[in-house]
Amino acid sequence: MTSRDVAAHVQASCAAIYEVFGEAAPTLSNDDFVVRAHELSRAFGARALQFRAHSGDVAVEPLAIIESVLREAVVNDETGAMALFALISVVGPRLLVSTRDARAALEGDAGLGDALDELANTLVKEIRRTAEVVRGLPEGDEQWLEAARELTIRLEASGNAESFGFFA
């Protein structure tokens, strides 16, 4: 695995978050969630650009599994609550593990290591900010809870139980 491969994979992960939240923000029905979606899109778009510089300026497609899970969450809840839930409890933690694994696998690429550290910090910061906004998610709404559980089940079934790996 080369530094470019790692950078391109992480760039694709960030691009998926950037794209889905950027497209979803104007369609959400909860104003607080609209603002949070715009902020998430901006934060992860900046990280995607940062990794693009490390991947040889090669444009990559958003990571399909992240994109599809987040898009499914948007479709399942027009308020945006499920998409934000998916980021803080389904996608974000796995991307943190991927970031840690990538950092451990790199030797001698301090610039990319610093970018991975910045991504980890961005993830933690955005997860915390998002968690503050989505307090009081639908309790007792079995249909909503089941749809949310399905997102995790889908990632586990696709081989992404703990992380997004590097070439998933």
Side-chain angles (χ1 to χ4, degrees), residues 140-157:
D141 183 342
E142 287 303 315
Q143 186 177 3
W144 193 97
L145 294 171
E146 183 58 32
R149 276 191 288 272
E150 286 297 320
L151 299 173
T152 298
I153 291 168
R154 197 155 144 234
L155 283 179
E156 290 171 353

Side-chain angles (χ1 to χ4, degrees), residues 30-167:
N30 180 298
D31 291 343
D32 292 334
F33 298 168
V34 168
V35 171
R36 186 86 284 265
H38 278 295
E39 291 170 344
L40 286 166
S41 180
R42 195 171 84 180
F44 286 96
R47 294 288 75 80
L49 284 174
Q50 184 179 21
F51 284 101
R52 185 174 182 169
H54 290 280
S55 64
D57 284 329
V58 174
V60 298
E61 293 295 316
L63 193 64
I65 189 65
I66 293 175
E67 183 180 21
S68 80
V69 165
L70 291 176
R71 286 192 190 285
E72 182 178 331
V74 170
V75 168
N76 283 333
D77 181 355
E78 68 183 24
T79 68
M82 191 171 298
L84 295 176
F85 165 83
L87 178 79
I88 63 177
S89 63
V90 179
V91 172
R94 286 169 174 81
L95 188 51
L96 269 172
V97 172
S98 297
T99 302
R100 180 205 63 201
D101 293 348
R103 185 74 167 100
L106 291 174
E107 292 182 22
D109 192 336
L112 182 54
D114 291 345
L116 287 165
D117 291 344
E118 285 183 49
L119 174 58
N121 290 334
T122 297
L123 276 160
V124 170
K125 179 175 69 175
E126 296 303 329
I127 288 170
R128 286 181 174 161
R129 287 179 176 170
T130 303
E132 289 175 16
V133 172
V134 295
R135 287 186 185 172
L137 288 174
E139 294 181 28
D141 183 342
E142 287 303 315
Q143 186 177 3
W144 193 97
L145 294 171
E146 183 58 32
R149 276 191 288 272
E150 286 297 320
L151 299 173
T152 298
I153 291 168
R154 197 155 144 234
L155 283 179
E156 290 171 353
S158 70
N160 295 285
E162 295 179 10
S163 74
F164 294 109
F166 295 107
F167 303 103

